[in-house]
Amino acid sequence: MEAKWYIVQAHSNFEKRVQESLFAEAEQKGLSDLFEEILVPTEHVVEIRRGRKVESDRKYFPGYVLVKMVLTDEA
């Protein structure tokens, strides 16, 4: 089967934890071959705050995690 993109809704600011949890669960259950990518879409931004340059990562879609996987009953 072909892998497709799916969206997982998560609480805002917990996207990284959800990503790590999905990786861990897939490894634990032996399903890591079904998961191709698990992404939290971000962009690197340089802002000026109080006269200083501050580098940070800004999320494109806060509260969402993108998963490219083959959807099966086990996954």
Side-chain angles (χ1 to χ4, degrees):
M1 292 186 76
E2 186 177 329
K4 294 183 181 180
W5 285 101
Y6 297 94
I7 298 173
V8 177
Q9 189 173 8
H11 288 287
S12 190
N13 295 325
F14 286 93
E15 295 93 349
K16 289 286 186 189
R17 287 187 187 175
V18 170
Q19 179 185 26
E20 293 166 0
S21 176
L22 285 172
F23 273 127
E25 285 285 324
E27 289 288 327
Q28 185 181 28
K29 294 183 179 183
L31 300 173
S32 58
D33 56 328
L34 298 176
F35 291 83
E36 288 187 17
E37 290 183 68
I38 302 174
L39 298 175
V40 177
T42 59
E43 65 178 333
H44 189 72
V45 178
V46 178
E47 299 173 331
I48 298 177
R49 294 184 194 161
R50 298 180 183 171
R52 291 184 173 179
K53 287 186 178 180
V54 177
E55 297 181 9
S56 63
D57 289 328
R58 181 180 299 159
K59 296 176 184 124
Y60 282 118
F61 307 113
Y64 294 97
V65 178
L66 302 177
V67 181
K68 186 174 185 180
M69 63 179 281
V70 176
L71 189 63
T72 63
D73 290 336
E74 296 84 26

